[in-house]
C-alpha cells in the first residue's frame, strides 16, 4: 500500500546548522533513502523549495485569487514529501521513524486513497450525460 509522508521542518533549523552539519544531514538522509529505494519502499521523492517561493490559490468572490507564500502561518513548514510503499501503516511508521530527517522536524503519514471506483462511476455518469 502507498503512503504519503509529509516532512515538516522548523524554519531556520537547517540554515542554523554549520556547513559540515548540513552535509552530514544530507548524506545520512540520502543514504537512508537509497536503502528504502533498494528495498522497494520508495515510489517517489519530492523535495520542496522554501515557502518564500510558494503561491497559494484560493476561491474568492467567484474566481481564483492568489497570495504569496503558504496558506497558513505555522511553526513548521512543508519541506517535501515521500511516497512510500509499505505493508501497512505500522510498517510506514517504522520506516519513517528511522529516517535521519526526523531530527529536523515532524512527519505526517497518510494512506493514499484509492479513487478508482469513484472515477469509474463518474465516467459512467458523464458518458450517460453526453449520450442525449
Amino acid at each position: 500500500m502507498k503512503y504519503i509522508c509529509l516532512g515538516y521542518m522548523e524554519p531556520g533549523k537547517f540554515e542554523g546548522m554549520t556547513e559540515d552539519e548540513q552535509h552530514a544531514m544530507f548524506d545520512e538522509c540520502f543514504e537512508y533513502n537509497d536503502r528504502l529505494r533498494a528495498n522497494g519502499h520508495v515510489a517517489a521523492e519530492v523535495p520542496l523549495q522554501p515557502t518564500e517561493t510558494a503561491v497559494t490559490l484560493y476561491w474568492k468572490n467567484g474566481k481564483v485569487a492568489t497570495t504569496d507564500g503558504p496558506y497558513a502561518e505555522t511553526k513548521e513548514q512543508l519541506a517535501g514529501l515521500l511516497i512510500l510503499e509499505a505493508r501497512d501503516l505500522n510498517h510506514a511508521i517504522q520506516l519513517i521513524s528511522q529516517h535521519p530527517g526526523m531530527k529536523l522536524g515532524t512527519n505526517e503519514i497518510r494512506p493514499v486513497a484509492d479513487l478508482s471506483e469513484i472515477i469509474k462511476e463518474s465516467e459512467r455518469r458523464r458518458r450517460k450525460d453526453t449520450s442525449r
Side-chain angles (χ1 to χ4, degrees):
M1 181 167 193
K2 286 186 174 57
Y3 292 87
I4 302 288
C5 305
L6 304 166
Y8 293 89
M9 189 175 1
E10 294 176 34
K13 189 164 188 173
F14 184 76
E15 294 79 8
M17 299 167 79
T18 67
E19 187 175 342
D20 286 344
E21 290 170 330
Q22 289 176 352
H23 290 171
M25 178 57 67
F26 275 134
D27 293 350
E28 286 179 60
C29 289
F30 294 151
E31 181 180 355
Y32 188 73
N33 287 356
D34 287 345
R35 287 197 311 265
L36 288 174
R37 199 176 303 101
N39 290 313
H41 294 301
V42 174
E45 299 171 79
V46 185
L48 298 174
Q49 291 189 15
T51 57
E52 299 84 51
T53 65
V55 174
T56 298
L57 284 70
Y58 57 97
W59 194 255
K60 184 176 181 179
N61 299 326
K63 62 181 182 177
V64 174
T66 63
T67 186
D68 292 340
Y71 178 70
E73 294 293 322
T74 61
K75 286 184 179 180
E76 295 181 323
Q77 297 168 344
L78 185 60
L81 61 94
L82 177 69
I83 302 177
L84 194 65
E85 192 69 52
R87 291 185 304 273
D88 54 30
L89 181 58
N90 287 331
H91 186 217
I93 291 169
Q94 176 191 11
L95 293 171
I96 291 302
S97 67
Q98 297 171 23
H99 198 290
M102 285 296 307
K103 298 172 192 167
L104 296 174
T106 62
N107 272 269
E108 176 182 340
I109 301 174
R110 291 192 203 179
V112 171
D114 180 2
L115 298 180
S116 56
E117 284 304 312
I118 295 170
I119 292 168
K120 286 178 189 174
E121 290 173 18
S122 174
E123 289 169 346
R124 284 192 289 272
R125 286 191 302 271
R126 290 180 280 145
R127 276 196 304 274
K128 186 177 179 181
D129 286 345
T130 61
S131 63
R132 296 179 197 188

